[in-house]
Amino acid sequence: WYQRRVRVSKGRDGRKVIVFTGHDLSHNIYETLLQHNLITCEKWVVLPLPDLLEQTGLTLSEIKTIQAAASEKLCPKVHSISPSSEKSFDWSFGSRNLDISFGCLLKEGKVLEIWGSSGSGKTQLALQMCAAIPPKFCSAYISTEGGISTSRLFDICHARGVTTANCDIQACNAVDSFCDCVLRQLPLLLATKPVKLVVIDSIAAPFRAGEVEGGGVRRAQKIRSIGQQLKYLSSEYNLLVVVLNQATDHPIKGRLPALGMTWSYLINSRLRIEKLQHENAMGARRVSLDKGSCLKLGTFVNCIIQKEGLL
């Protein structure tokens, strides 16, 4: 769901790759990249910082400069509105109660996690946030759990009197395809479309489905690379990233978000959604704050799932 708009070359496998030229970097740095076979921009987005420092012998400042140049070549900005005339964008949960209570979490340049058990309503909430995006903008929905229910998205739009939801959808189940989607394909989509909301559903599914080649260390590196990329893109393109996360049971601490502390450090705020366990609670949910600086931890709102979504 993207189109390339930069000059590319072909690699040995026939796949198009974007490379640095002598005009992009200083002569000494360019020669160092040639020497270590790090001339492709994609490697500077995918490889973790410690590996780049060890392989090149460059300083941290020089590596940051190269990474910025790589990001610019991979996803050049498309400016349709001058910064002075662009108005601030207002995101919405698609629910007045949630907007009043947790609206301060919906800011550009932020990564919001919504976690809960299976069937708690995470996808429901994400879909109605996509439906709330104004027609002249769009959302990007990356599903790692076998695709999303487009019929449910249509039902939400129909119940709200919205003709359509401008939502680009991509499905990827394996770890490698998920990393490729976030690290390479997503930046190119953002460079060509006015995306204001990116949804990942869910972050944990690919990493819990099977073993990651390289073991736990490589798994943590991939999680950090994805988290850092999402934070960078949210800031660079003035958009909001909403990441859905699964729940896991700890023998001592009880039910917790999946992926542990490695992932927790990469998000700005966290909401928990859970079913209410009492009589006449059919469709009743509780949304509470687990992490955030603008509200008191534990702040909660009770909602009900209806045709229009979680209200």
Side-chain angles (χ1 to χ4, degrees):
W1 30 269
Y2 65 92
Q3 294 180 340
R4 296 182 183 273
R5 290 193 176 184
V6 292
R7 183 171 296 177
V8 298
S9 301
K10 283 191 175 181
R12 293 181 180 180
D13 58 355
R15 185 171 62 86
K16 293 181 179 180
V17 295
I18 305 171
V19 299
F20 286 115
T21 67
H23 300 289
D24 299 317
L25 306 165
S26 67
H27 176 73
N28 291 338
I29 292 180
Y30 183 68
E31 290 296 325
T32 300
L33 267 58
L34 284 175
Q35 180 182 352
H36 295 282
N37 192 26
L38 291 171
I39 203 66
T40 59
C41 297
E42 185 176 341
K43 290 183 178 180
W44 287 90
V45 175
V46 176
L47 291 177
L49 183 58
D51 290 357
L52 295 173
L53 288 167
E54 181 180 352
Q55 292 182 34
T56 63
L58 297 173
T59 65
L60 179 60
S61 176
E62 290 172 331
I63 286 181
K64 290 293 186 181
T65 300
I66 299 172
Q67 288 178 326
S71 297
E72 179 63 26
K73 288 180 73 68
L74 286 168
C75 47
K77 286 186 176 181
V78 178
H79 296 285
S80 59
I81 305 175
S82 62
S84 59
S85 62
E86 186 176 2
K87 295 182 179 179
S88 60
F89 186 87
D90 293 325
W91 287 268
S92 173
F93 285 104
S95 164
R96 185 173 181 272
N97 289 336
L98 291 176
D99 287 341
I100 292 174
S101 300
F102 302 117
C104 64
L105 303 177
L106 306 181
K107 301 293 182 182
E108 64 183 36
K110 302 299 182 182
V111 178
L112 167 65
E113 180 194 273
I114 301 174
W115 77 280
S117 303
S118 177
S120 59
K122 304 184 297 295
T123 299
Q124 171 78 51
L125 183 54
L127 290 176
Q128 67 188 59
M129 292 181 72
C130 292
I133 298 295
K136 69 176 182 178
F137 299 102
C138 62
S139 58
Y141 202 109
I142 301 175
S143 174
T144 64
E145 298 187 355
I148 69 171
S149 175
T150 54
S151 60
R152 181 54 182 144
L153 178 60
F154 176 81
D155 290 341
I156 292 174
C157 293
H158 180 73
R160 293 169 178 262
V162 179
T163 56
T164 183
N166 193 3
C167 181
D168 289 87
I169 301 172
Q170 179 75 307
C172 44
N173 300 326
V175 172
D176 289 340
S177 61
F178 177 48
C179 290
D180 180 75
C181 183
V182 174
L183 299 176
R184 188 169 61 90
Q185 298 182 35
L186 181 58
L188 296 168
L189 174 71
L190 301 183
T192 57
K193 288 192 174 184
V195 177
K196 281 297 182 180
L197 174 67
V198 173
V199 176
I200 309 292
D201 182 8
S202 67
I203 184 66
F207 296 99
R208 303 180 79 182
E211 294 294 329
V212 176
E213 183 179 354
V217 174
R218 187 57 180 160
R219 175 179 180 270
Q221 289 177 344
K222 287 181 178 289
I223 293 174
R224 283 195 296 269
S225 296
I226 289 174
Q228 291 167 357
Q229 175 78 331
L230 292 175
K231 294 190 76 170
Y232 168 77
L233 294 176
S234 65
S235 177
E236 187 74 2
Y237 289 93
N238 300 322
L239 54 87
L240 171 69
V241 175
V242 174
V243 179
L244 308 187
N245 196 4
Q246 299 173 350
T248 184
D249 290 321
H250 190 276
I252 299 176
K253 298 181 180 179
R255 187 151 295 178
L256 298 171
L259 302 185
M261 298 304 296
T262 300
W263 170 252
S264 294
Y265 288 125
L266 298 169
I267 61 175
N268 299 107
S269 52
R270 168 180 281 156
L271 290 175
R272 178 180 184 180
I273 180 170
E274 53 190 330
K275 296 180 180 180
L276 290 180
Q277 303 294 337
H278 59 74
E279 295 182 0
N280 301 322
M282 181 66 66
R285 300 292 187 269
R286 171 167 293 179
V287 181
S288 57
L289 181 70
D290 273 7
K291 179 180 180 180
S293 58
C294 63
L295 291 170
K296 182 180 179 181
L297 296 183
T299 301
F300 69 89
V301 174
N302 292 337
C303 306
I304 298 178
I305 295 181
Q306 300 180 3
K307 292 188 298 182
E308 297 86 352
L310 191 66
L311 304 178

